[in-house]
Amino acid sequence: MDYTAGLDIALNRLHEEGRYRTFIDIERRKGSFPHAVWTQPDGSEKDITVWCGNDYLGMGQHPVVLAAMHEAIDATGAGSGGTRNISGTTVYHKRLEAELADLHRKESALVFTSAYIANDATLSTLPKLFPGLIIYSDELNHASMIEGVRRNGGAKRIFKHNDVDHLRELLAADDPAAPKLIAFESIYSMDGDFGPIEAICDLADEFNALTYIDEVHAVGMYGPRGAGVAERDGLMGRIDIINGTLAKAYGVMGGYIAASEKMCDAVRSYAPGFIFTTSLPPAVAAGAAASVKHLKTDQALREQHQTQAKILKLRLKGMGLPIIDHGSHIVPVMVGDPVHTKKLSDMLLEGYGIYVQPINFPTVPRGTERLRFTPSPVHGPKEMDTLVKAMDDLWSHCALNRAELSA
């Protein structure tokens, strides 16, 4: 076996399909986000504006967050020193979990190194806690949820995206006595559509199923205290397990689940992904706790975020660009071809100093390739004008289709 040749074949396949992914060297500079510096391949630097970040509210540079992190690192040093069971639990981790439990009005919360690990570890562990568990999973769930369901060794059913009727059919076809769990998301990040939370909760009540919701693209941004779409809709109390992230709207790093005290205790005790992973550095936990606490009261920042998203969608629609608008903060502009999507991304970066990554298969289905913009409160009128003009220019230059504009 020529292993090097095998790697060449695999990598060339990505290049041929136009979906080989490249990293660009970006340096974010405190106080200037969404502006950053791109170190180009020749070593020269270029000022750019980041339009695809998940630091949705700019909290990664908020003074409250930075002060908390500085204080913690000065007090404790860099790392946590081990797993949560072996010296890796600190007052900062406990404080963060208390903030998260309070945020979601749950008895307890459990912090992981990422929301990916939180999803994977929890969903792969639940069948150990409930033998015979059947998990019903939306077909467009995050890869971390899919992986957790796949690895758990239990029964699984995949229902059509947001299709409550199909979910009902699957639930009704199974043994009424079998333990069940429905796993879904509040906001699906590629199209920006919302999950039918209330309808799924109704089915869960009818079929005696647990509910598991992924709110990673909603926490911090929706609801009166930033607890997510379930809080916004008054449904948080009907969800058994809430998954969230600290790496998007909260601007730091990490993930978590919030649930009953017994549920968190059982996952903590049985999930290898939790037991054997070194805990977050105390400074990261401190920054995350400060961010969560701050956003419980900063409704103005949430409103500004939604306003920015509405403005960008309105302006892109006005030019006839094919965007998907489900009313969330996600702004996908459909291209439909991996090569063209990558080319547009490159042209925006090199010609206009605008950084937005192409979204290609397998993140989205083939033929639905897109550019995905994430406007934030720190994207001002100047940045918005530059982006809109660039998109208008490139759409014409590349002779891409536009929607028919009404007179």
Side-chain angles (χ1 to χ4, degrees), residues 100-295:
L100 293 168
D102 172 76
L103 174 69
H104 291 290
R105 305 299 191 194
K106 297 297 184 187
E107 293 177 346
S108 189
L110 190 64
V111 171
F112 296 76
T113 50
S114 72
Y116 187 106
I117 298 297
N119 270 333
D120 185 9
T122 302
L123 288 168
S124 63
T125 296
L126 288 172
K128 300 176 187 176
L129 309 177
F130 307 105
L133 178 71
I134 303 171
I135 295 183
Y136 303 80
S137 178
D138 188 290
E139 66 178 346
L140 294 188
N141 277 340
H142 274 128
S144 55
M145 300 175 76
I146 294 170
E147 185 66 12
V149 172
R150 185 188 67 80
R151 289 198 312 106
N152 68 28
K156 63 178 181 293
R157 311 281 185 261
I158 309 302
F159 61 93
K160 297 173 185 175
H161 178 53
N162 280 351
D163 191 329
V164 179
D165 292 334
H166 186 220
L167 175 57
R168 166 181 282 281
E169 291 175 13
L170 295 174
L171 287 162
D174 283 318
D175 182 356
K180 301 174 177 66
L181 178 138
I182 305 170
F184 62 108
E185 299 182 29
S186 62
I187 298 178
Y188 291 84
S189 62
M190 288 302 109
D191 286 350
D193 55 330
F194 294 90
I197 302 175
E198 184 172 17
I200 287 177
C201 288
D202 289 343
L203 282 180
D205 289 345
E206 181 180 347
F207 290 93
N208 190 29
L210 294 170
T211 47
Y212 184 107
I213 192 169
D214 178 314
E215 289 253 37
V216 300
H217 287 281
V219 289
M221 296 173 284
Y222 294 82
R225 299 202 311 156
V229 179
E231 182 195 32
R232 182 199 70 178
D233 296 347
L235 299 168
M236 197 161 56
R238 300 183 67 185
I239 304 293
D240 294 296
I241 305 173
I242 298 172
N243 168 277
T245 185
L246 303 165
K248 292 183 170 60
Y250 292 119
V252 192
M253 178 185 176
Y256 64 89
I257 60 168
S260 69
E261 184 176 358
K262 287 184 178 179
M263 182 68 78
C264 289
D265 193 23
V267 172
R268 175 189 72 83
S269 301
Y270 280 86
F274 179 85
I275 295 170
F276 299 109
T277 300
T278 298
S279 63
L280 289 175
V284 172
S291 186
V292 172
K293 182 177 182 179
H294 175 85
L295 284 177

Side-chain angles (χ1 to χ4, degrees), residues 33 50-56 189 217 305 309 312 329-332 356 372-377 379 387:
F33 189 74
V50 178
W51 273 97
C52 58
N54 285 335
D55 186 356
Y56 290 127
S189 62
H217 287 281
H305 179 229
L312 180 58
H329 62 282
I330 305 292
V331 185
V356 56
R372 176 181 171 273
F373 297 94
T374 53
S376 76
H379 287 95
L387 172 63

